[in-house]
């Protein structure tokens, strides 16, 4: 990425639906073709299963220098163990994603909707996560207790950004929080989550928000996760055009 405070734009995964294939170069793997237009991608498969360090290294080798991968933290940590007794699993995950080298972007910690903020478990986990990993961390809580001012301050103190999610599962979840230097939008599709495409007026408003964040010197990510009916790539292409008009994104 070539600007001092770029916007990282992409989708969850790098599948290229046939309906949008003509927008991308013909040669190369899906990832290679994807990375010629978009500057970032979110790896969600890591939530369900581990990947070898050599697999991450191969993905990193397939993309340009400015490209970044966000990687979702495994569900064994967030959902099965609910942030307790996770040291071994976290160390294993961090060793795997190290294969991305300098192309590793934020690690995404998506929490289950039923997981309330409990200082006895969340505080030591978050502090330990930050000690183990000095890079960018973004957290997507989905229980209302995580949106209190003291929790937001705790995240900020640890340099952990809180995801702005659409649709917002609880009040406050639609706006960025936590550490203010990093902004991370996850757009899941609305009104039908994971399925609906976003209409042009919504994308225009989002492009304006991204422009405002850049003007304030913040780094920002915008990831489309409405992949169930292939809307994500179309919306990301529309956002790329809108944001390029505003000189927010350096397009390749």
């Amino acid at each position: 990425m070539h600007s001092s405070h770029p916007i990282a734009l992409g989708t969850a995964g790098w599948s290229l639906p046939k309906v949008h294939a003509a927008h991308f170069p013909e040669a190369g793997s899906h990832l290679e073709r994807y990375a010629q237009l978009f500057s970032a991608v979110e790896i969600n498969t890591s939530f369900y299963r581990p990947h070898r360090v050599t697999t991450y290294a191969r993905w990193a080798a397939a993309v340009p220098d400015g490209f970044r991968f966000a990687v979702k933290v495994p569900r064994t940590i967030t959902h099965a163990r609910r942030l307790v007794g996770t040291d071994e699993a976290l160390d294993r995950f961090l060793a795997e994603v190290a294969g991305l080298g300098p192309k590793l972007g934020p690690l995404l910690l998506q929490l289950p909707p039923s997981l309330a903020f409990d200082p006895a478990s969340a505080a030591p986990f978050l502090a330990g996560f930050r000690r183990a990993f000095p890079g960018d961390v973004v957290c997507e809580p989905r229980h209302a207790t995580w949106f209190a001012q003291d929790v937001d301050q705790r995240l900020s103190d640890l340099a952990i950004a809180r995801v702005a999610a659409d649709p917002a599962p609880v009040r406050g979840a639609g706006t960025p929080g936590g550490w203010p230097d990093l902004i991370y939008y996850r757009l899941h599709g609305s009104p039908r989550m994971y399925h609906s495409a976003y209409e042009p007026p919504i994308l225009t408003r989002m492009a304006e928000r991204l422009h405002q964040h850049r003007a304030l010197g913040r780094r920002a990510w915008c990831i489309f996760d409405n992949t169930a009916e292939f809307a994500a790539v179309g919306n990301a292409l529309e956002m790329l055009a809108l944001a390029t008009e505003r000189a927010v994104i350096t397009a390749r």
Side-chain angles (χ1 to χ4, degrees):
M1 290 179 274
H2 308 295
S3 59
S4 58
H5 295 288
I7 301 296
L9 171 65
T11 62
W14 51 78
S15 295
L16 301 180
K18 288 183 180 180
V19 66
H20 299 301
H23 292 279
F24 297 87
E26 292 185 9
S29 67
H30 273 222
L31 176 57
E32 288 170 329
R33 294 163 64 202
Y34 171 101
Q36 293 304 308
L37 285 187
F38 298 126
S39 57
V41 74
E42 187 181 275
I43 298 174
N44 280 185
T45 51
S46 54
F47 179 71
Y48 300 101
R49 63 183 185 276
H51 299 301
R52 295 178 180 177
V53 65
T54 51
T55 299
Y56 283 114
R58 186 176 73 249
W59 290 339
V63 300
D65 286 345
F67 191 92
R68 294 292 179 268
F69 295 84
V71 190
K72 196 170 182 180
V73 173
R75 62 181 174 180
T76 53
I77 293 172
T78 55
H79 289 56
R81 298 180 186 171
R82 299 171 75 84
L83 311 184
V84 177
T86 61
D87 289 355
E88 183 179 339
L90 180 60
D91 288 347
R92 184 166 56 247
F93 172 65
L94 294 177
E96 292 161 0
V97 299
L100 291 171
K103 294 171 184 174
L104 174 60
L107 298 184
L108 167 64
L109 187 70
Q110 187 191 52
L111 304 178
S114 61
L115 185 62
F117 181 80
D118 177 3
S121 56
F125 171 81
L126 293 171
F129 197 142
R130 176 45 77 207
R131 285 194 301 272
F133 180 69
D136 287 336
V137 178
V138 296
C139 182
E140 185 179 13
R142 290 179 287 175
H143 191 281
T145 53
W146 283 80
F147 296 87
Q149 186 174 351
D150 62 324
V151 178
D152 214 53
Q153 186 60 53
R154 188 187 296 267
L155 292 173
S156 184
D157 290 345
L158 291 168
I160 296 175
R162 178 166 51 72
V163 166
D166 183 81
V170 296
R171 185 176 180 180
T175 55
W179 191 46
D181 289 1
L182 177 62
I183 307 297
Y184 199 104
Y185 287 96
R186 295 193 84 214
L187 307 179
H188 299 294
S190 184
R192 190 181 178 201
M193 202 168 179
Y194 306 125
H195 292 262
S196 296
Y198 289 97
E199 297 298 321
I202 296 174
L203 296 176
T204 299
R205 288 197 295 273
M206 179 57 65
E208 178 60 33
R209 285 186 203 136
L210 294 171
H211 174 74
Q212 291 168 354
H213 288 305
R214 185 174 190 266
L216 292 170
R218 297 167 177 161
R219 295 173 298 125
W221 280 62
C222 181
I223 296 293
F224 288 93
D225 188 35
N226 49 342
T227 56
E229 293 182 6
F230 311 114
V233 169
N235 277 165
L237 288 168
E238 294 172 86
M239 181 64 76
L240 180 65
L242 286 167
T244 302
E245 288 174 10
R246 297 175 179 274
V248 174
I249 295 175
T250 302
R252 280 184 273 272

